[in-house]
Amino acid sequence: MARPRKPLLSTDRIVETARTLVDAEGLATLSTRRLAAELGVSGPSLYNHFRTKDQILEAVADSVSAQVDLSMFEDGRDWRTALHDWAVSYRTALRDHPNIVPVLARGPGRRPAGLRLADAVFGAMVGAGWPPAQATSIGALMRYFIMGSALGSFAGGFVDDETAYDPADYPHLGQAHLLADQQEKIDERAFEVGLTALLDGLVQQFQRVTGTE
């Protein structure tokens, strides 16, 4: 009987396996040796596709950026709605892959999907009537907000031990031990409240900039 053939090593397979490893165990666990073992190949074979571990991490980060929907900037939605829908899609991608956020937070660098994302946002804002300098600022502030929301959970930062919140010391945290149990609901609501406030503020700025108050 013929021996089963090993799946061919490809760039996509390396990135997918590395992303799965980072998702499950964090950035610190990724090494070329560990990745090669997961793929069932020798370490040097990876170098036919990536010269360094950092290049692999960059590719993993870009694969997450590629999951962000950009169609809202091309289908006729107004700029506020487009920014809202894009922010939700962006946060969903980061929430699904939180361990790669520190790499994404460095900026797009030369990553193609990251650059397409930046280009889409900037182009849509300028096309809507924002001056280029302010369009750049909008892209930056949206990135700060979305990345920050993905770096950790507010609700998950509170322990579920009621005794940790002595009313003598923390008179307003009597229900804080319940937050962790509703982590997803609270964090989603906080993101939407913040996003709405941010976008409403931008609408006011846009009206002043364009004289449409």
Side-chain angles (χ1 to χ4, degrees):
M1 181 181 296
R3 297 176 61 185
R5 296 177 60 188
K6 291 183 179 179
L8 292 176
L9 190 61
S10 66
T11 297
D12 287 346
R13 185 170 169 240
I14 293 170
V15 171
E16 182 179 352
T17 302
R19 185 176 62 235
T20 299
L21 185 58
V22 170
D23 285 345
E25 301 182 26
L27 288 171
T29 64
L30 185 67
S31 67
T32 53
R33 178 178 296 180
R34 175 69 188 281
L35 182 57
E38 291 289 325
L39 289 162
V41 299
S42 62
S45 63
L46 296 177
Y47 298 123
N48 293 323
H49 301 270
F50 296 99
R51 292 193 300 273
T52 65
K53 184 184 83 170
D54 284 345
Q55 284 189 348
I56 296 172
L57 284 174
E58 289 289 303
V60 170
D62 212 38
S63 74
V64 173
S65 293
Q67 296 175 15
V68 181
D69 184 12
L70 300 177
S71 64
M72 65 285 296
F73 296 119
E74 302 173 351
D75 62 9
R77 274 174 261 191
D78 65 272
W79 68 265
R80 186 197 185 282
T81 301
L83 273 184
H84 175 277
D85 296 348
W86 166 72
V88 171
S89 177
Y90 199 174
R91 182 172 181 268
T92 297
L94 300 186
R95 185 191 59 200
D96 290 345
H97 307 282
N99 291 334
I100 200 64
V101 172
V103 179
L104 285 163
R106 301 171 191 164
R110 296 177 180 272
R111 298 192 296 267
L115 290 171
R116 283 193 294 271
L117 187 154
D119 181 73
V121 175
F122 179 79
M125 295 306 100
V126 171
W130 284 97
Q134 286 170 291
T136 298
S137 296
I138 290 170
L141 74 88
M142 293 296 291
R143 181 169 165 271
Y144 298 152
F145 176 70
I146 298 165
M147 289 279 183
S149 74
L151 284 172
S153 165
F154 171 80
F158 292 85
V159 299
D160 61 0
D161 179 3
E162 187 174 3
T163 64
Y165 309 102
D166 189 328
D169 296 320
Y170 316 110
H172 306 296
L173 295 182
Q175 301 296 308
H177 64 288
L178 302 175
L179 292 176
D181 190 48
Q182 302 181 57
Q183 175 179 330
E184 183 174 352
K185 178 181 178 181
I186 292 170
D187 290 344
E188 290 291 333
R189 185 173 61 205
F191 179 77
E192 189 61 38
V193 167
L195 181 58
T196 297
L198 189 157
L199 294 174
D200 285 350
L202 285 176
V203 168
Q204 293 180 14
Q205 288 191 36
F206 185 73
Q207 290 170 344
R208 290 196 294 271
V209 167
T210 59
T212 56
E213 290 182 286

